[in-house]
């Protein structure tokens, strides 16, 4: 998000909150709720813009698109699963091949809680074909590599409320997906998505 657009949106949020407060004090509760919901949605957009900046740059030999986002009730995976929360995504294309990577992040979605059961149970992971746990610094991630389909998936659950994922297709190995996840700035993700 451009700084000027960011500033305009932030000003609109202040206006929406002030109008919501004014309507609340006039006991026009429905209208106050509507204004505050607009303010919350715009704040989510501001937060998404900052979080989008945490996505890793394109690795050497790859090109990245701009990150895009959707929030509760929006489009994309979060809406498809009725998951709510905020969802962001960035696509990467291999320059001299057919490889594709998609990095995505979902925040504050009920869907994330169901993934927690898998992450906290090494026996469940071990029972899955082509799945293994790996360490990324102090964090544990789950890697699924399907060599017959040239597909990889790396999933990291951060602080029980942020699910980060890198999916890859037409890959020679899982390494490109794992390396992209490893390049993600987890400290910046935590900072920009803090409550």
């Amino acid at each position: 998000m451009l700084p000027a657009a960011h500033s305009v949106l932030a000003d609109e949020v202040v206006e929406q909150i002030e109008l919501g407060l004014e309507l609340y004090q006039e006991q026009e509760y429905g209208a106050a709720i509507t204004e505050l919901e607009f303010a919350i949605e715009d704040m989510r957009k501001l937060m998404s813009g900052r979080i989008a900046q945490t996505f890793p740059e394109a690795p050497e030999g790859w090109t990245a698109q701009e990150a895009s986002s959707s929030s509760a009730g929006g489009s994309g995976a979060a809406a498809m699963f009725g998951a709510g929360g905020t969802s962001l995504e960035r696509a990467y294309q291999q320059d001299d091949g057919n490889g594709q990577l998609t990095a995505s992040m979902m925040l504050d979605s009920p869907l994330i809680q169901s993934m927690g059961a898998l992450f906290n149970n090494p026996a469940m992971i071990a029972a899955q074909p082509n799945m293994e746990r790996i360490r990324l610094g102090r964090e544990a991630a789950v890697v699924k590599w399907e060599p017959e389909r040239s597909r990889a998936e790396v999933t990291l659950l951060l602080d029980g409320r942020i699910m980060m994922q890198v999916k890859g297709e037409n890959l020679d190995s899982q390494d490109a997906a794992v390396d992209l996840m490893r390049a993600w700035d987890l400290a910046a993700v935590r900072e920009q998505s803090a409550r």
Side-chain angles (χ1 to χ4, degrees), residues 28 36-37 39 41 43-44 67 76 91 94 105 109 118 120 155 169 183 185-186:
E28 293 186 35
L36 294 174
E37 284 174 343
E41 188 61 30
M43 283 187 276
R44 280 197 176 108
Q94 193 175 24
M105 184 189 314
S109 165
L118 174 67
N120 296 322
T155 306
E169 295 183 5
D185 187 343
L186 301 185

Side-chain angles (χ1 to χ4, degrees), residues 9-191:
L9 191 54
D11 290 344
E12 286 178 9
V13 168
V14 171
E15 289 174 15
Q16 290 163 342
I17 292 171
E18 288 172 349
L19 180 55
L21 178 60
E22 190 180 307
L23 290 165
Y24 169 78
Q25 289 169 336
E26 293 170 3
Q27 298 185 357
E28 293 186 35
Y29 301 125
I33 289 170
T34 299
E35 284 304 318
L36 294 174
E37 284 174 343
F38 277 125
I40 289 168
E41 188 61 30
D42 285 345
M43 283 187 276
R44 280 197 176 108
K45 288 177 189 172
L46 291 167
M47 187 175 84
S48 292
R50 287 185 173 176
I51 294 170
Q53 295 172 9
T54 70
F55 276 75
E57 293 301 317
E60 192 172 328
W62 292 74
T63 302
Q65 295 178 3
E66 288 296 314
S68 60
S69 68
S70 62
S71 56
S75 59
M80 187 169 73
F81 292 110
T86 301
S87 176
L88 296 99
E89 184 175 286
R90 186 174 195 184
Y92 303 78
Q93 181 70 44
Q94 193 175 24
D95 295 338
D96 59 355
N98 296 322
Q100 296 177 341
L101 294 169
T102 304
S104 61
M105 184 189 314
M106 190 180 293
L107 292 91
D108 300 323
S109 165
L111 183 64
I112 295 170
Q113 293 174 353
S114 63
M115 292 295 292
L118 174 67
F119 272 81
N120 296 322
N121 189 338
M124 280 179 70
I125 295 168
Q128 300 293 320
N130 305 323
M131 261 189 172
E132 64 174 324
R133 278 173 59 130
I134 62 166
R135 290 305 255 168
L136 298 174
R138 293 183 164 198
E139 305 297 332
V142 175
V143 179
K144 182 175 185 179
W145 169 240
E146 299 175 87
E148 70 285 353
R149 299 171 77 185
S150 304
R151 286 169 48 171
E153 185 176 293
V154 184
T155 306
L156 174 68
L157 194 60
L158 198 60
D159 302 335
R161 56 178 283 264
I162 304 169
M163 186 172 76
M164 302 165 68
Q165 203 166 51
V166 175
K167 292 184 178 181
E169 295 183 5
N170 305 318
L171 302 176
D172 297 330
S173 74
Q174 67 188 27
D175 295 349
V178 171
D179 290 346
L180 190 64
M181 180 66 82
R182 202 178 297 280
W184 214 323
D185 187 343
L186 301 185
V189 170
R190 282 187 167 111
E191 181 183 340

